[in-house]
Amino acid sequence: MGQNIDDYKKVITGKMIADTHTEVLAKRVLEGLEKRNMKGYFCQTVEEANELILSLIPEGNSVSWGGSMTIRDMGLTKLIKESGKYNVMDRDEAGSTEEMREIQRQALLCDTYITGTNAMTDDGALVNIDGLGNRLAAICYGPKQVIVVTGINKVMHSEEAAVERARNVAAPINIHRFSANVTPCKKTGKCGNCIGEGCICRQVLITRMSMIPDRIKVVLINDSLGF
């Protein structure tokens, strides 16, 4: 049997409430970013976000990115490389660890650097955790423009909650990308505050403000992306 009219109304009302909540949250994030000297954008879909991001990168720019799975899963890195419009420094094409480290070092002086974020607050602060710290270094200083791409699932209601997400959601999932790393979070699924050889949580960065207005651009997408 199909839904009766009363059930149908409930479904529509629920969707409308969810949409309204998302719009309110996105507006709060964008206003928070503006106060922090960062430029915010809100996109309903991945396709819309990809189109926007490509429009933000001037032709001829040197472009690089961090280890974000979000931008790879979106197909963004593929679009950038296939466009033929940019000088791409792609760490994924490195033939050795030494070559990858050199690309990461050179990326700190690129025109546009693209990254995800482990978490952010609903008033615009970014929270990221790294092992090597190259991604955090690029966010802080170096590239002329930094584009941060994130799903709305990573927006938390406090700085403490954002750090908690980075340490106990993002890192325990991310560690499984590194087969040789054996850490407490890999075994238990939660942060063990380790300082062992395989630790990927060696650097913690909270980006409260950008010194250079609009250098950091945050593209928030109405979707659950990354981890």
Side-chain angles (χ1 to χ4, degrees), residues 68-70 73 151 153-154 165 173 224-227:
S68 167
M69 295 306 298
T70 294
D73 291 344
N153 55 306
K154 296 184 179 179
R165 186 192 190 283
I173 297 174
S224 181
L225 300 168
F227 44 77

Coordinates of all heavy atoms in Angstrom, one line a residue, residues 68-70 73 151 153-154 165 173 224-227:
S68 N 43.5 14.6 1.1 CA 42.1 14.5 1.3 C 41.4 13.5 0.4 O 41.6 13.5 -0.8 CB 41.5 15.9 1.0 OG 40.1 15.8 0.9
M69 N 40.6 12.6 1.0 CA 39.9 11.6 0.2 C 38.6 12.3 -0.4 O 38.1 11.9 -1.4 CB 39.5 10.4 1.1 CG 40.6 9.6 1.6 SD 41.7 9.1 0.2 CE 40.6 8.1 -0.8
T70 N 38.2 13.4 0.3 CA 37.0 14.1 -0.2 C 37.2 14.6 -1.6 O 36.3 14.3 -2.5 CB 36.6 15.2 0.8 OG1 36.2 14.7 2.0 CG2 35.5 16.1 0.2
D73 N 37.4 11.6 -4.1 CA 36.1 11.0 -4.3 C 35.1 11.8 -5.1 O 34.3 11.3 -5.8 CB 35.5 10.6 -2.9 CG 36.2 9.5 -2.2 OD1 37.0 8.8 -2.9 OD2 36.0 9.3 -1.0
G151 N 32.2 18.4 3.6 CA 30.8 18.0 3.7 C 30.3 18.6 5.0 O 31.0 18.9 5.9
N153 N 28.7 17.2 7.1 CA 28.8 16.2 8.2 C 30.0 16.6 9.2 O 30.0 16.1 10.3 CB 29.0 14.8 7.7 CG 30.2 14.7 6.7 OD1 30.3 15.4 5.7 ND2 31.1 13.8 7.0
K154 N 30.9 17.4 8.7 CA 32.1 17.7 9.5 C 31.9 19.0 10.4 O 32.8 19.4 11.1 CB 33.3 17.8 8.7 CG 33.7 16.5 8.0 CD 34.9 16.6 7.2 CE 35.3 15.3 6.6 NZ 36.5 15.4 5.8
R165 N 36.0 15.1 17.1 CA 35.7 14.5 15.8 C 37.0 14.1 15.1 O 37.2 13.0 14.6 CB 34.9 15.3 14.9 CG 34.4 14.6 13.7 CD 33.8 15.5 12.6 NE 33.2 14.6 11.6 CZ 34.0 13.9 10.7 NH1 35.3 14.1 10.6 NH2 33.4 13.1 9.8
I173 N 39.7 6.3 11.3 CA 39.4 5.8 10.0 C 40.5 5.9 9.1 O 40.9 5.0 8.3 CB 38.1 6.5 9.4 CG1 36.9 6.2 10.3 CG2 37.8 6.0 8.0 CD1 35.7 7.0 9.9
S224 N 27.3 14.3 2.9 CA 28.2 13.7 3.9 C 29.4 13.2 3.1 O 29.3 12.2 2.3 CB 27.5 12.5 4.6 OG 28.4 11.9 5.5
L225 N 30.6 13.8 3.3 CA 31.7 13.5 2.5 C 32.9 13.2 3.4 O 33.1 13.9 4.4 CB 32.0 14.7 1.6 CG 30.9 15.1 0.6 CD1 31.3 16.4 0.0 CD2 30.8 14.0 -0.5
G226 N 33.8 12.3 2.9 CA 35.0 12.1 3.6 C 34.8 11.5 5.0 O 33.7 10.9 5.3
F227 N 35.9 11.5 5.8 CA 35.8 11.0 7.2 C 36.6 11.8 8.1 O 37.2 12.8 7.8 CB 36.2 9.5 7.2 CG 37.5 9.2 6.4 CD1 38.8 9.6 7.0 CD2 37.5 8.6 5.2 CE1 39.9 9.3 6.3 CE2 38.6 8.4 4.5 CZ 39.9 8.7 5.0

